[in-house]
């Protein structure tokens, strides 16, 4: 992101004070976080759009987005201050990932001027939700090995293929969709990113039932989906460069380091108040073992916050490569595992129903492994850190520099 001239900006402390007063006067307290399908209903998405519009009208949407695209053009310090003050208030957190922190941020970095002016203000007003069409049913972690096809037909493009694991696609308006446009070059070189209307003719969306009963993930089938020429995001056959930038934003978002969020994610694992409440409700708050567990969880949260600040400064100054964002992503997963494990251990039998009847600890434990995959698998994060940050040798890849139409598949 471009660093604003701080001399022309409202002081952070003044901004924090103004945000605190506005939040107290405008937004209700955050409701209890719903579990499973109840947290992914059509009504919840409608409420998130409404809350985003309230932020926009109040002058607190898109804090780090440029002014010409509907944002405030302020610094990450302003964003951090607002996120801290907004804890405890109802916020449009569902729009953070992937709409604001990943997709909109990628459009900001790689979109044309027309694309930025068409989509970013609409996103910041809560009028558009964005989603990612990246992974494919047979792709695994080999994103560049995708086989969704985009073919030129006159001035248009026609897409055919299938995508999967698209969070919230059923509620979205547009998708960033990666497709293959050249089969005669190595796999990374023949890809193009497209901005696709999610409900365009030819797109079928099916929701996937998860272990907790929710159906947030989706699979999409694209059958002769026609797009105009200006739907290309970035350059034709330059989609891998756009994807790398998109994945950078995804790692930052999942790690809790994105400057583009509307408020702080409640499930980020950086607040032990839920652990304290479980201990009190189950009569264990004075147990030395339980207090030690809570202290360890709190210490991990403090390290997490300091790590985010250090990595963010390092990338901004050029002392660290952008790939260092994978360090935050990996640590965030490890911290989330620890928080879920600790809640389960403290809750004991109450994990299934909860002392308040919610069963939150048990639900979070069921979804624990999601943090192994969100924002790219932890194994991929370790590869990126080893190869692109530490400079270790790249792992073997038999299809490297081989034209994609000569790569054996399906074995």
């Amino acid at each position: 992101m471009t660093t604003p001239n701080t001399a022309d900006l409202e002081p952070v402390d003044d901004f924090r004070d103004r945000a605190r007063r506005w939040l107290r006067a405008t937004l209700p307290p955050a409701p209890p976080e719903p579990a499973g399908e109840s947290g992914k209903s059509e009504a919840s998405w409608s409420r998130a759009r409404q809350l985003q519009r309230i932020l926009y009208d109040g002058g607190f949407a898109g804090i780090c987005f440029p002014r010409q695209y509907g944002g405030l053009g302020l610094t990450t310090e302003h964003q951090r201050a607002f996120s801290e003050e907004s804890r405890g208030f109802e916020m449009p957190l569902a729009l953070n990932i992937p709409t604001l922190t990943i997709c909109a941020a990628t459009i900001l970095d790689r979109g044309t001027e027309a694309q930025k002016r068409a989509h970013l203000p609409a996103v910041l007003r809560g009028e558009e939700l964005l989603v990612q069409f990246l992974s494919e049913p047979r792709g695994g972690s080999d994103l560049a090995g995708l086989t969704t096809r985009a073919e030129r037909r006159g001035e248009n493009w026609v897409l055919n293929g299938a995508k999967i694991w698209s969070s919230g696609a059923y509620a979205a308006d547009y998708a960033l969709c990666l497709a293959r446009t050249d089969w005669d070059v190595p796999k990374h070189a023949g890809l193009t990113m497209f901005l696709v209307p999610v409900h365009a003719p030819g797109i079928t969306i099916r929701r996937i039932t998860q272990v907790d009963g929710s159906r947030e993930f989706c699979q999409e089938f694209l059958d002769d989906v026609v797009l105009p020429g200006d739907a290309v995001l970035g350059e034709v056959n330059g989609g891998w460069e756009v994807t790398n930038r998109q994945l950078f934003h995804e790692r930052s978002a999942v790690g809790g380091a994105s400057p583009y969020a509307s408020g702080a994610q409640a499930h980020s694992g950086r607040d032990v108040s839920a652990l304290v409440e479980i201990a009190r409700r189950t009569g264990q708050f004075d147990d030395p073992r339980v207090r030690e567990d809570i202290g360890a969880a709190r210490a991990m949260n403090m390290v997490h916050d300091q790590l985010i600040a250090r990595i963010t400064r390092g990338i901004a100054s050029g002392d660290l490569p952008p790939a260092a964002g994978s360090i935050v992503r990996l640590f965030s997963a490890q911290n989330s595992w620890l928080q879920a494990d600790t809640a389960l251990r403290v809750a004991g039998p109450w994990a299934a129903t909860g002392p308040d009847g919610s069963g939150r600890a048990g639900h979070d434990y069921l979804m624990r492994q999601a943090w192994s995959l969100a924002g790219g698998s932890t194994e991929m994060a370790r590869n990126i850190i080893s190869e692109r940050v530490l400079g270790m040798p790249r792992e073997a890849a038999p299809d490297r520099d081989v034209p994609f139409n000569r790569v054996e598949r399906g074995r």
Side-chain angles (χ1 to χ4, degrees):
M1 59 177 287
T2 302
T3 303
N5 181 0
T6 55
D8 300 329
L9 303 180
E10 179 182 11
V12 174
D13 288 343
D14 292 352
F15 177 80
R16 179 189 292 275
D17 181 66
R18 185 164 62 85
R20 181 187 300 123
R21 288 185 280 107
W22 181 85
L23 286 163
R24 289 174 177 173
T26 309
L27 293 179
E33 187 179 353
E37 186 63 20
S38 60
K40 314 291 168 56
S41 65
E42 296 291 344
S44 70
W45 287 109
S46 178
R47 178 58 175 164
R49 289 177 185 260
Q50 181 184 22
L51 289 166
Q52 183 64 30
R53 182 65 198 221
I54 291 172
L55 290 180
Y56 183 86
D57 290 341
F60 291 100
I63 292 170
C64 289
F65 282 92
R67 289 180 178 273
Q68 63 265 39
Y69 308 124
L72 302 184
L74 298 176
T75 69
T76 55
E77 287 77 16
H78 291 82
Q79 172 67 52
R80 188 176 302 113
F82 184 81
S83 294
E84 291 170 356
E85 295 299 328
S86 69
R87 291 184 186 274
F89 293 95
E90 187 181 14
M91 296 290 291
L93 301 180
L95 305 191
N96 281 345
I97 298 176
T99 294
L100 286 161
T101 58
I102 304 174
C103 297
T106 302
I107 294 173
L108 176 63
D109 288 347
R110 296 294 183 265
T112 64
E113 188 65 17
Q115 288 169 340
K116 287 186 275 193
R117 292 191 179 277
H119 295 283
L120 297 182
V123 165
L124 296 181
R125 291 192 298 264
E127 296 168 1
E128 282 188 9
L129 271 62
L130 308 176
V131 70
Q132 303 183 93
F133 285 180
L134 296 180
S135 299
E136 297 192 355
R138 297 173 60 186
S141 295
D142 183 18
L143 178 57
L146 61 84
T147 57
T148 291
R149 179 188 301 267
E151 299 174 302
R152 273 280 196 188
R153 295 186 188 173
E155 296 298 316
N156 296 327
W157 292 93
V158 179
L159 273 61
N160 284 279
K163 297 291 182 177
I164 199 167
W165 310 129
S166 307
S167 297
Y170 62 93
D173 301 292
Y174 283 86
L176 273 61
C177 179
L178 190 62
R180 188 163 302 281
T181 45
D182 190 340
W183 297 69
D184 298 321
V185 296
K187 61 183 182 181
H188 295 87
L191 302 172
T192 301
M193 188 71 74
F194 294 89
L195 269 167
V196 179
V198 168
H199 301 289
I203 297 180
T204 302
I205 298 176
R206 293 182 181 171
R207 297 172 68 174
I208 301 169
T209 302
Q210 296 168 247
V211 68
D212 65 343
S214 67
R215 296 187 298 154
E216 179 66 3
F217 281 135
C218 300
Q219 181 171 7
E220 300 80 33
F221 299 91
L222 292 81
D223 298 296
D224 290 331
V225 178
V226 179
L227 301 175
D230 61 5
V232 172
L233 183 65
E235 301 294 332
V236 174
N237 294 331
W240 191 246
E241 191 276 334
V242 178
T243 302
N244 272 330
R245 192 60 184 169
Q246 189 171 340
L247 293 176
F248 164 79
H249 286 302
E250 185 176 50
R251 290 189 291 268
S252 296
V254 172
S258 174
Y260 298 112
S262 282
Q265 289 295 137
H267 65 264
S268 63
R270 289 151 68 189
D271 182 354
V272 298
S273 60
L275 286 175
V276 172
E277 186 64 16
I278 290 173
R280 283 179 171 153
R281 284 179 176 267
T282 57
Q284 302 180 82
F285 190 66
D286 293 327
D287 185 322
R289 179 189 62 82
V290 171
R291 295 175 73 91
E292 188 172 291
D293 284 345
I294 295 174
R298 172 61 178 152
M300 281 285 282
N301 292 339
M302 295 174 70
V303 172
H304 189 191
D305 287 341
Q306 293 300 313
L307 180 65
I308 288 173
R310 180 177 180 183
I311 297 297
T312 301
R313 286 196 303 268
I315 293 175
S317 67
D319 293 334
L320 290 172
S326 288
I327 299 173
V328 175
R329 182 265 172 275
L330 179 60
F331 190 90
S332 178
Q334 293 174 327
N335 188 29
S336 295
W337 300 336
L338 181 138
Q339 304 296 326
D341 292 349
T342 302
L344 186 75
R345 186 164 58 250
V346 173
W350 287 110
T353 59
D356 58 354
S358 70
R360 186 78 240 175
H363 172 269
D364 287 347
Y365 189 78
L366 281 177
M367 300 303 293
R368 173 190 189 277
Q369 290 308 108
W371 293 101
S372 301
L373 300 171
S377 69
T378 51
E379 290 83 0
M380 292 297 294
R382 288 186 171 94
N383 275 1
I384 291 169
I385 294 166
S386 66
E387 296 175 5
R388 303 183 197 175
V389 181
L390 301 178
M392 297 174 69
R394 296 178 66 181
E395 64 179 348
D399 59 359
R400 187 171 293 142
D401 301 324
V402 177
F404 192 70
N405 57 10
R406 290 171 50 193
V407 174
E408 293 187 2
R409 297 186 297 279
R411 293 189 179 184

